[in-house]
Every structure is written in C-alpha cells, then in structure tokens.
Amino acid sequence: HATTVSIGIWVNAGARVETRKEQGIAHMLEHMAFKGTKRRDAQSIATEIENVGGFMNAHTSREETAYYLRLLPEHFDLGIDILTDILTQSTLPEVEIERERGVIIQEIGQSLDTPDDLVFDLFASACYDNHNLGRPILGTVDSVSNFQRADLCGFMNRFYGAGQMLVVASGAVRHDDLVSRIDASLGSLSDAEATKRMLPVWSAGRQIVTRNLEQSHIVIGLPTKAATAPDRFALMALSTLYGGGMSSRLFQQVREQRGLCYSIFSFASLYSDSGVFSVYAGTSASQANEMLTVAAGELASIAHSVHPDEVIRAKAQLRASLLMSRESVSNCGDALARQILLFGAPQDDAMLLAAIDDVDENAVRDMAEQLISGNRPALACVGPPTKLLDNDDLAARLTA
C-alpha cells in the first residue's frame, strides 16, 4: 500500500572485522562507494538519483555496512542499477581516495571536538579494551592517513560478495519481481569470505578526558545479553521504565526530583554475541557523583521491586514504537535487514508483539538482577576536572 519504495544492500562486515591497521577502513569504503564506477563518476551517481527525487545514503556500524535509497516505484530499476553499480563496479579512484581521506580526517576531528560523541567512543574502549568493539568506527587519523587503494580493494574483495551481502526492499515492491531484477545484476557475484568475530571480554575499564566544558558528559554501563537472547524483550522493557522516557525512573528521580541534569537516558547496544546496557547523562562536575549514585540506586531498586504499572507502561511504549516504525518503508527495511542478519529470517510482528506482552515484573526484576550481580561497570567521561566515583564504588552502589 506504500507510495514509495526503499531498497538497500547490507554487507555483513563492519568495523568489528577490521584488523588493527585497518581501523576505519569499512567506514572509508562506505564513503568511496559513491565516488565513481566504470560507468558513472561521483557527480553522476548523486545527480541521477536526485533527478528523480530519490534519496541515497549509507552507514557503517560495528557489525555491518549498509547502502540504501528511497525513491518512487517507477524509478525502481534506476535505483537497483545504481546500487548494484556502486557495490560491484566501484573504481576507487586515487584522486577521490585522497580527497575523501581529508574529509574523514575532518569527520574524526569533528567527533573529537564534540564531547557527547567522543564520550561514546571512550566508553566503547572502557568496555572492550584491545578488542575491535572498543575501537572507533571512524578509525584514527594515523590509520586513515595510511590507507592505500590496495587496502580498500582487499577489504572489499574479502567481504563484498555472495554469502555476505543481503538485498532488502520494502514498500511498493513485489518479492518475486525484486528477486529476478537482482539476479540479473548480482547473480554472478563471487563468494565472499565468511565473517569471523572474536568474542569480546568485558574490561570494566575507565576512560576520562578532561576538557574545559560547562558539563560533564558521562556514560556508565554493564555487560548484557546478545541481540538474539530470548529474554531481550525484558531488557527492552527494563531500559524503557528505567531510563526510556519522561515517565522513567531516571528522568523523574535525576532530573525532575533533584534537577541534576538536563539529559539522561538508558539504552542497550546489542551485538550478535554480546551487549552493553548503559546510561548517558550530561551534568555539572559538582553534581556528577550524586547523579551516579542515584542512577545506580534506581537500577538496584528495580532488581528488588518493580511496580506492575511501570511494566504495563513500558510494554505500551515498546508496542507503539514497533507499530509506528512500520509506517516508514525505510524503517521496515532496516528492521528486516537486521532480523535476517541476526536470525536468518524475518521476525513476524505478531510474534514480536506477543513476546513483548509476555514480559512481566518478574522478568524485568530478574533482568536487572542479572545486570548488577557480579558485574563491575565501565565508565567514560568528558568534562571539567572532577573526582568521580571509581568503578568499585559504583559497583557497590549497584548492589546496595
């Protein structure tokens, strides 16, 4: 029933499969895909899509790289042609590599200058020191400065092929028609190297960068389940009632009752084999420890007692979020791709809604208890000089 179509190709390889000297190469290759093919230069790629009112973009995450566009159904063939062209016929021109190298170094600089971006890279390092998951997706100035065309070609040849690429479309599209069109473009694609991911070890580290800022930007977190864990819906409900909205415990206790910050929220970063449950807050240096104490205390409190009304409200938010996201063809494509990469098949909405409905206060309480039992937190902070609670102190407050 949609009036537009979204189509994308997801590559089952992101920053997590890079070697140490390849830090940032998946992201740079994402940029370079738009810089010219055997049939199109960079301007033609952009112009042809925008001539028909389409939108094209890409992103690199720790576990995948995605290229996608949205356009009107009558231009579907053009979209497929451009998308498959940039991923199979990219020429990676030397002049564009040098130009884009400078762009990415500027992007890294911008991230370093943005404390609420920098703190998340520092937090990843605090969680997973000496592991790919602990490195910045953008790479470093040194790594990006040293990439050569052969490095980019090597990474593309390893992972951009059959078995590691997933074509997803949503909206005004018919499945059989899509398959036949894609087969004509990608049917002869060579096999790619299977993605291998080393299981991370939780570091429970601490990364602090002192800056002359008005606020301290702080992230704390604990290890949790993988994205495929059966009890992930209890984790989602926990995150929602703990720090997912204006009615959440963190918002009410930290902001509304005590005025310790403007922004605070919890979130879960879930991967194929592991995950992190975290809290971000921006607060003054003088109030940082009080904020941390309250945040830890509220999570410990949930492990002991959850009111049924809190769980009902959290489940209502999760159900609404899922159903509202289905009104966007782009969001449908994103969800479909992630489900297939993780589970090997699409997940039925009715099943997902039923799993949300099955969550009760016992499941949420048990999930909170799992998080705090025997786990030492990781912490990152960017802000003015201050003596923050150390990780052992935080661990003690989580179990108080």
Side-chain angles (χ1 to χ4, degrees), residues 10 64 66 166 168 332-343:
W10 271 253
E64 82 246 355
L166 170 68
V168 169
C332 284
D334 290 345
L336 190 60
R338 183 161 175 77
Q339 289 168 2
I340 295 172
L341 288 174
L342 286 171
F343 298 98

Side-chain angles (χ1 to χ4, degrees), residues 20-39:
R20 184 166 290 279
K21 75 170 189 174
E22 288 178 333
Q23 291 180 67
I25 201 167
H27 174 255
M28 187 169 185
L29 194 54
E30 172 218 314
H31 279 233
M32 287 304 302
F34 298 96
K35 298 306 176 182
T37 70
K38 294 176 181 178
R39 294 190 286 127

Side-chain angles (χ1 to χ4, degrees), residues 241-263:
L241 71 86
Y242 175 57
M246 294 175 65
S247 64
S248 69
R249 290 199 184 191
L250 285 181
F251 193 93
Q252 288 297 314
Q253 293 298 320
V254 178
R255 174 173 161 161
E256 297 294 282
Q257 298 297 321
R258 294 173 174 81
L260 298 176
C261 67
Y262 174 74
S263 177

Side-chain angles (χ1 to χ4, degrees), residues 320-373:
S321 177
L322 187 151
L323 294 173
M324 289 176 182
S325 72
R326 298 301 186 254
E327 295 183 352
S328 161
V329 295
S330 298
N331 287 345
C332 284
D334 290 345
L336 190 60
R338 183 161 175 77
Q339 289 168 2
I340 295 172
L341 288 174
L342 286 171
F343 298 98
Q347 303 291 285
D348 182 67
D349 280 354
M351 181 203 74
L352 298 176
L353 291 169
I356 292 170
D357 286 338
D358 285 343
V359 175
D360 59 19
E361 52 266 36
N362 290 329
V364 173
R365 188 175 60 246
D366 290 347
M367 179 58 66
E369 186 175 2
Q370 289 175 38
L371 284 171
I372 64 177
S373 296

Side-chain angles (χ1 to χ4, degrees), residues 76-240:
F76 195 42
D77 280 334
L78 173 65
I80 290 176
D81 184 53
I82 290 180
L83 199 58
T84 56
D85 191 30
I86 66 172
L87 294 182
T88 62
Q89 301 297 323
S90 183
T91 53
L92 305 177
E94 294 279 6
V95 64
E96 293 288 356
I97 290 174
E98 292 308 314
R99 185 178 293 124
E100 211 58 28
R101 191 194 311 279
V103 170
I104 294 172
I105 288 172
Q106 291 296 322
E107 188 178 359
I108 293 170
Q110 178 177 299
S111 177
L112 294 174
D113 285 344
T114 308
D116 50 352
D117 283 347
L118 174 60
V119 72
F120 287 101
D121 280 341
L122 293 173
F123 179 66
S125 177
C127 294
Y128 299 117
D129 188 31
N130 293 320
H131 188 277
N132 305 51
L133 286 177
R135 302 173 190 163
I137 292 173
L138 299 182
T140 66
V141 171
D142 285 344
S143 65
V144 172
S145 297
N146 288 315
F147 291 150
Q148 301 301 313
R149 185 177 184 279
D151 300 319
L152 294 167
C153 289
F155 191 88
M156 179 173 262
N157 290 338
R158 272 154 53 204
F159 299 113
Y160 282 56
Q164 296 301 310
M165 294 171 73
L166 170 68
V167 181
V168 169
S170 57
V173 60
R174 297 182 187 280
H175 181 268
D176 292 342
D177 181 47
L178 171 68
V179 171
S180 64
R181 294 174 193 233
I182 289 298
D183 185 57
S185 300
L186 298 178
S188 60
L189 206 60
S190 300
D191 288 343
E193 181 178 310
T195 301
K196 298 175 182 177
R197 295 172 179 147
M198 183 176 67
L199 188 69
V201 176
W202 182 253
S203 298
R206 189 177 179 90
Q207 294 282 339
I208 296 177
V209 170
T210 301
R211 292 274 179 89
N212 184 23
L213 301 171
E214 291 295 322
Q215 277 199 319
S216 293
H217 299 265
I218 300 172
V219 183
I220 58 172
L222 294 160
T224 188
K225 306 293 185 69
T228 55
D231 53 358
R232 63 190 181 279
F233 300 99
L235 180 67
M236 295 176 195
L238 167 63
S239 184
T240 301

